[in-house]
Amino acid sequence: MKERLQAIEERYNELNAELTNPEVLGDIKKTLKLSKEQASLKEAYDAYQEYKQIINDLEEANELVKDSELGEFAKEEIQRLNQCLTELEAQIEIILLPKDPNDEKNVIVEIRGAAGGDEANIFAGDLYRMYSKYAEKEGWKLDVLTEEHSDAGGFPLIEFMVKGENVYSKLKYESGAHRVQRVPVTETQGRVHTSTATVVVMPEAEEVDVEIKQSDLRIDVYRSTGAGGQCVNTTDSAVRITHLPTGVVVTCQNERSQLQNKEKCMQMLRTRLYEAKIRQQEEELGNERRNKIGTGDRSEKIRTYNYPQNRVTDHRIGYTTKNLDRVMEGNLEDIITSLITEDQNRKLRGEE
């Protein structure tokens, strides 16, 4: 552990020196790249500075143990410092765990109404509102990319981007099938129905992550549809892009101009192809994904929202809370923190 921390400290100091070099500062891309690398090392660097300080304080306290006046105080200080050291070493173990390279990325989220007809679409809308509220609490920006409205309310499909700090690190656990148990508005006999909606969270891909040839694309433009009146675009601004080698299709009609919709489509396409690339790499690693908290498969039931009992249960980690009403208002912190903690514990046990 100490050797790794020393290596991180050396690299951190090297980056400090480089970032004061006028030649480096004149290159914006290089400066951003080095600043990003330094930021990724800062937590471990700061922890190592604290670790060295505690070790130094322990050495000084041990020298004072035999002192007639300060000996008792030194013994108490040694006990306190050893406790601090034990806690800090546990924190450092977590800090030094392998990082997911996508953790700092923005995400594109797709929510679909699945089993349950209109009620599933309504629930998809409820999940969208939940994530919107959570993004607001986190200070993230949410941008709808495409949406299909259901006559009964909610969405058969809605896709949106979430931008902010470390978005993927928190939302990546949300992929899978979400199940709701409640009495639908259309139910006349008060029976509880079960419906599902699927969520897919994909790290936003940059151009360097995926190479897309223009010759592999079919681009169609058509007239946007809307709620009527001024909401309907009277020009062919909606865009549909088909990636011919894979058959992946993306659409966007939420922006006013064809160019803006095309840019959003390309963003979505890169992200979908990047996500497929990640999945293929993980499948090639064999059983690795089986040990993870969630595979991200649409068919995997990850969470149940039980309205009659005001209960939310995350089936992957056995987490249950009786605060469904607060969760649906975007208070996901406790669930997501529990998922992150369990993920870290599994890695510490060598299960991944």
Side-chain angles (χ1 to χ4, degrees), residues 210-250:
V210 179
E211 181 185 357
I212 300 177
K213 299 177 182 177
Q214 285 297 314
S215 58
D216 288 339
L217 303 179
R218 185 177 72 232
I219 302 175
D220 302 307
V221 296
Y222 56 98
R223 188 156 298 179
S224 298
T225 58
Q230 294 179 345
C231 296
V232 178
N233 199 324
T234 56
T235 61
D236 291 338
S237 61
V239 176
R240 180 191 302 112
I241 297 181
T242 304
H243 186 245
L244 300 174
T246 61
V248 172
V249 179
V250 292

Side-chain angles (χ1 to χ4, degrees), residues 71-264:
E72 287 303 314
F73 169 77
K75 288 177 182 177
E76 291 178 6
E77 185 66 359
I78 288 171
Q79 187 176 359
R80 185 188 70 81
L81 288 169
N82 278 324
Q83 178 63 31
C84 290
L85 187 64
T86 300
E87 293 174 1
L88 181 59
E89 286 175 339
Q91 292 173 19
I92 290 173
E93 278 190 3
I94 293 173
I95 291 171
L96 293 180
L97 286 173
K99 296 286 191 299
D100 186 329
N102 293 312
D103 274 351
E104 297 179 4
K105 289 181 180 284
N106 300 323
V107 302
I108 289 179
V109 182
E110 171 200 284
I111 303 177
R112 291 179 181 269
D118 288 341
E119 173 64 10
N121 295 336
I122 293 170
F123 179 50
D126 294 338
L127 290 177
Y128 167 67
R129 181 176 179 276
M130 178 184 77
Y131 292 127
S132 299
K133 293 280 188 180
Y134 178 61
E136 186 179 339
K137 293 176 190 297
E138 291 289 318
W140 298 336
K141 181 184 176 184
L142 189 145
D143 184 17
V144 174
L145 301 173
T146 185
E147 55 190 321
E148 297 174 10
H149 292 273
S150 168
D151 292 339
F155 307 96
L157 166 67
I158 183 165
E159 293 178 284
F160 54 95
M161 172 167 280
V162 185
K163 296 182 178 180
E165 186 176 350
N166 297 321
V167 179
Y168 186 72
S169 70
K170 295 184 177 180
L171 289 184
K172 64 183 178 183
Y173 303 103
E174 296 303 297
S175 288
H178 294 241
R179 181 173 70 171
V180 63
Q181 295 174 327
R182 63 185 176 190
V183 180
V185 178
T186 54
E187 171 58 49
T188 58
Q189 298 181 28
R191 293 175 298 186
V192 174
H193 287 228
T194 299
S195 305
T196 59
T198 60
V199 176
V200 178
V201 178
M202 299 168 281
E204 180 191 14
E206 300 171 8
E207 290 187 32
V208 294
D209 294 323
V210 179
E211 181 185 357
I212 300 177
K213 299 177 182 177
Q214 285 297 314
S215 58
D216 288 339
L217 303 179
R218 185 177 72 232
I219 302 175
D220 302 307
V221 296
Y222 56 98
R223 188 156 298 179
S224 298
T225 58
Q230 294 179 345
C231 296
V232 178
N233 199 324
T234 56
T235 61
D236 291 338
S237 61
V239 176
R240 180 191 302 112
I241 297 181
T242 304
H243 186 245
L244 300 174
T246 61
V248 172
V249 179
V250 292
T251 62
C252 187
Q253 62 175 23
N254 283 46
E255 303 298 330
R256 289 189 174 275
S257 76
Q258 185 182 119
L259 180 61
Q260 289 173 317
N261 281 323
K262 184 179 177 183
E263 288 176 355
K264 289 284 178 67

